[in-house]
Amino acid sequence: MARWPDWFRCPRCYGREHGLVYCRRLKRYQCRTCGHQATLTAGTIMQATKLPLTTWLLAFYLIGQAKTGISSLELSRHLGVNYDTAWLLHNKILRAMTEREEAYLLRGKIQMDDAYLGGERPGGKAGLGSENKIPIVAAVSLNEAWPSDSRQDHSRERLQLRSYF
């Protein structure tokens, strides 16, 4: 289980003894020490949802795979839910993605470079102006925690790589 890798642990008293309570559609884990009930989705953006998890997972996939973004109206059509539900799903997922990205800001010494990704097409224009080449920018944050000398051990550096298309 991803939520509790070492099996169940009560979020209130950290007890391990539990029982299963089947209530409505959800399977709840009830701590035998304090009686607290917890579900797998509690504390996540899917908490207290009435939608099936397969709908959430499809929404995650569609939002993550849309190259230019996806509107809530298009999401509602794909998921088969009304617009308000799709709007709420869309905003919850985007907010969670934004919060996660804020934790990975590049700090300290940063190195940047640009490049073009793609190969030659037969009969097409060669070089940097080729139609099938995509410009990318990559930035690397070097951790300043290790002393730097002329013989740097790159295996001890923590690198963060970001690419923007």
Side-chain angles (χ1 to χ4, degrees), residues 105-112 138-149 152 154 157-161:
L105 291 177
L106 300 176
R107 292 182 173 84
K109 192 175 185 180
I110 298 172
Q111 294 180 355
M112 292 182 64
V140 178
S141 177
L142 302 174
N143 188 355
E144 299 279 335
W146 302 104
S148 60
D149 62 325
Q152 283 186 330
H154 293 286
E157 291 181 349
R158 190 185 87 213
L159 300 177
Q160 295 177 349
L161 179 65

Side-chain angles (χ1 to χ4, degrees), residues 46-67:
M46 298 174 284
Q47 176 176 324
T49 187
K50 292 182 181 179
L51 290 174
L53 291 181
T54 53
T55 304
W56 276 93
L57 295 175
L58 181 57
F60 288 137
Y61 173 78
L62 292 171
I63 291 171
Q65 291 299 310
K67 199 171 195 177

Side-chain angles (χ1 to χ4, degrees), residues 85-157:
T85 304
W87 183 87
L88 186 66
L89 279 171
H90 192 246
N91 283 313
K92 280 186 173 184
I93 292 170
L94 288 181
R95 190 176 333 116
M97 290 169 66
T98 303
E99 288 173 5
R100 187 178 185 285
E101 279 296 312
E102 287 174 355
Y104 294 101
L105 291 177
L106 300 176
R107 292 182 173 84
K109 192 175 185 180
I110 298 172
Q111 294 180 355
M112 292 182 64
D113 196 11
D114 62 332
Y116 290 89
L117 184 65
E120 276 187 44
R121 280 192 190 150
K125 186 177 176 183
L128 297 179
S130 177
E131 303 86 32
N132 65 327
K133 295 207 179 207
I134 301 169
I136 62 169
V137 175
V140 178
S141 177
L142 302 174
N143 188 355
E144 299 279 335
W146 302 104
S148 60
D149 62 325
S150 60
R151 298 168 292 143
Q152 283 186 330
D153 181 8
H154 293 286
S155 64
R156 294 175 58 181
E157 291 181 349

Side-chain angles (χ1 to χ4, degrees), residues 3-4 8 11 27-31 36-40 42:
R3 169 105 192 238
W4 299 299
F8 176 79
K27 179 169 59 171
R28 297 176 185 263
Y29 295 87
Q30 181 171 343
C31 178
H36 179 72
Q37 292 183 356
T39 63
L40 289 176

